[in-house]
């Protein structure tokens, strides 16, 4: 199977390298210069994708995805697969899928969970929208780049699953951080807080697997000065996508909306940019009830 890979950034480069390591013939393209191991880097998109069996994209947003898809799809043979792994808005994912179908290309939207660590280790989780036929064709690639791929339904369902998951994650991380800050002020030590909550009904992935307090629970970005990990900027991106989607379908998502506001403030008005999304804990530590900004 010959693969074209567009977008060799923090996520795309290690994903493409893992495919090359597994023996696939991978040709990549990025608008920025990039050094890779085992992936041939083309000088144009066309050169990277013409005649490939599968083209994978790992791009920043829906507008870029749409413009790349417009260049790529006319170059592909009928029956080839266009596999987008970026996190983008549901509307862009559906538009790109329609356009792929017009070119007799099989579309899949397959955003990932697992971050740069998961991309490097080949342990990503893929949430996939598209047909069973396309999913079967891409399955061997999911097996190399990840540990799990779930076919969630028709085109756009992968993006829908991703933003719903991350809306829960953003809200539970904030809840976990504000609870730690309250526990501090009530004189409860953090280890006791962790021991109770991680085995009680307040448990969650944010507390149990990614504890925002340093020195407690499993290793997490809190133990590395809140270096990401999963950045607050990317959490803001995903929460924004969740609210755009909610707007589109008239869904009432007050917790998601508030989580988006808080990450927006943290990233754009405070010192959150470039920090892990769990750095909400030191943010809450510094605050009292009187501040409403
Ligand atoms: P990144 O900015 O490091 O990589 C994106 C790459 O796309 C860059 O190298 C950029 O030069 C390239 N690019 C932009 N426009 C292009 C074009 N027209 N043609 C070819 N290449 C182009 O971002 P990333 O962290 O690798 O994230 C990629 C996607 O994965 C995003 O949608 C992000 O939301 C999602 N994601 C990221 C993480 C993470 O932890 N980084 C986790 C889950 C999902």
């Amino acid at each position: 199977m010959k693969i074209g890979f567009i977008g060799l950034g923090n996520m795309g480069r290690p994903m493409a390298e893992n495919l090359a390591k597994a023996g696939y013939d991978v040709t990549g393209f990025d608008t920025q210069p990039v050094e890779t191991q085992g992936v041939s880097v083309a000088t144009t998109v066309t050169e990277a994708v013409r005649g490939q069996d599968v083209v994978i994209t790992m791009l920043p947003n829906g507008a870029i995805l749409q413009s790349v898809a417009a260049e790529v799809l006319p170059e592909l043979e009928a029956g080839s697969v266009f596999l987008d792994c970026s996190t983008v808005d549901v509307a862009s994912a559906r538009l790109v899928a329609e356009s792929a179908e017009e070119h007799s290309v099989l579309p899949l939207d397959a955003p990932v969970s697992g971050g740069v660590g998961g991309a490097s280790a080949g342990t990503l989780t893929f949430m996939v929208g598209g047909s069973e036929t396309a999913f079967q064709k891409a399955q061997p690639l999911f097996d190399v780049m990840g540990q799990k791929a779930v076919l969630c339904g028709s085109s756009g369902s992968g993006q829908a699953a991703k933003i719903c998951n991350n809306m829960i994650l953003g809200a539970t991380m904030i809840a976990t951080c504000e609870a730690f800050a309250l526990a501090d002020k009530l004189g409860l030590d953090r280890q006791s807080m962790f021991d109770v909550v991680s085995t009680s009904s307040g448990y969650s992935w944010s507390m149990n697997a990614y504890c925002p307090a340093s020195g407690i629970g499993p290793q997490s970005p809190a133990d590395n000065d809140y270096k990401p990990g999963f950045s607050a900027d990317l959490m803001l991106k995903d929460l924004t996508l969740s609210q755009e989607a909610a707007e589109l379908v008239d869904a009432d998502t007050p917790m998601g909306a508030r989580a988006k506001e808080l990450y927006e403030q943290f990233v754009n008005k405070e010192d959150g940019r470039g920090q892990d999304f769990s750095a909400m804990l030191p943010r809450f530590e510094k605050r009292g009830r009187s501040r409403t900004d």
Side-chain angles (χ1 to χ4, degrees):
M1 204 190 279
K2 284 167 58 202
I3 300 169
F5 205 116
I6 312 300
L8 301 169
N10 292 324
M11 297 289 290
R13 189 181 53 76
M15 290 164 73
E17 287 178 345
N18 281 339
L19 290 168
K21 224 183 286 166
Y24 289 102
D25 179 354
V26 187
T27 308
F29 174 75
D30 198 291
T31 44
Q32 301 299 313
V34 53
E35 300 252 318
T36 65
Q37 285 184 343
V39 176
S40 351
V41 179
T43 49
T44 64
V45 182
T46 314
E47 196 190 315
V49 304
R50 186 168 285 159
Q52 306 288 32
D53 302 302
V54 178
V55 169
I56 304 176
T57 47
M58 196 51 169
L59 296 162
N61 60 48
I64 293 176
L65 170 68
Q66 287 192 48
S67 82
V68 167
E71 280 187 85
V72 170
L73 292 171
E75 304 296 333
L76 301 185
E77 313 263 327
S80 53
V81 175
F82 186 84
L83 169 57
D84 176 46
C85 297
S86 332
T87 304
V88 302
D89 55 291
V90 176
S92 291
R94 291 195 172 138
L95 281 173
V96 166
E98 273 168 32
S99 171
E101 276 156 7
E102 281 160 16
H103 288 86
S104 305
V105 169
L106 300 169
L108 288 173
D109 54 289
V112 303
S113 169
V116 178
S120 302
T123 56
L124 295 168
T125 295
F126 291 87
M127 303 151 228
V128 191
S131 67
E132 183 70 43
T133 312
F135 184 72
Q136 293 303 338
K137 285 197 176 196
Q139 184 72 62
L141 310 184
F142 292 138
D143 289 343
V144 170
M145 297 185 287
Q147 61 184 355
K148 194 173 170 68
V150 181
L151 182 58
C152 301
S154 59
S155 293
S157 307
Q159 298 297 347
K162 165 89 188 181
I163 57 177
C164 289
N165 181 73
N166 281 20
M167 189 171 81
I168 295 170
L169 177 60
T172 51
M173 179 54 83
I174 290 169
T176 305
C177 292
E178 70 182 23
F180 260 119
L182 170 62
D184 288 347
K185 290 192 176 179
L186 293 173
L188 182 61
D189 83 82
R190 286 187 169 182
Q191 187 64 54
S192 306
M193 170 78 176
F194 177 82
D195 291 345
V196 170
V197 175
S198 66
T199 53
S200 300
S201 45
Y203 85 87
S204 67
W205 187 87
S206 296
M207 175 60 88
N208 292 37
Y210 205 91
C211 182
S214 63
I216 289 166
Q219 278 284 316
S220 69
D223 300 305
N224 190 26
D225 219 9
Y226 294 101
K227 292 195 182 75
F230 184 57
S231 70
D233 320 37
L234 278 177
M235 176 49 83
L236 173 58
K237 171 189 171 178
D238 292 357
L239 287 168
T240 305
L241 291 176
S242 78
Q243 294 316 293
E244 284 169 10
E247 191 71 43
L248 207 64
V249 296
D250 191 27
D252 187 20
T253 54
M255 299 298 287
R258 184 70 185 122
K260 183 207 155 202
E261 276 171 16
L262 283 167
Y263 274 104
E264 204 158 46
Q265 187 176 320
F266 187 43
V267 169
N268 293 334
K269 300 196 183 133
E270 299 169 5
D271 61 349
R273 188 173 298 277
Q275 295 208 63
D276 189 76
F277 83 118
S278 61
M280 272 284 167
L281 175 52
R283 174 190 184 275
F284 278 116
E285 275 168 33
K286 290 180 228 137
R287 301 170 70 89
R289 286 183 80 74
S290 59
R291 287 184 62 177
T292 53
D293 61 331

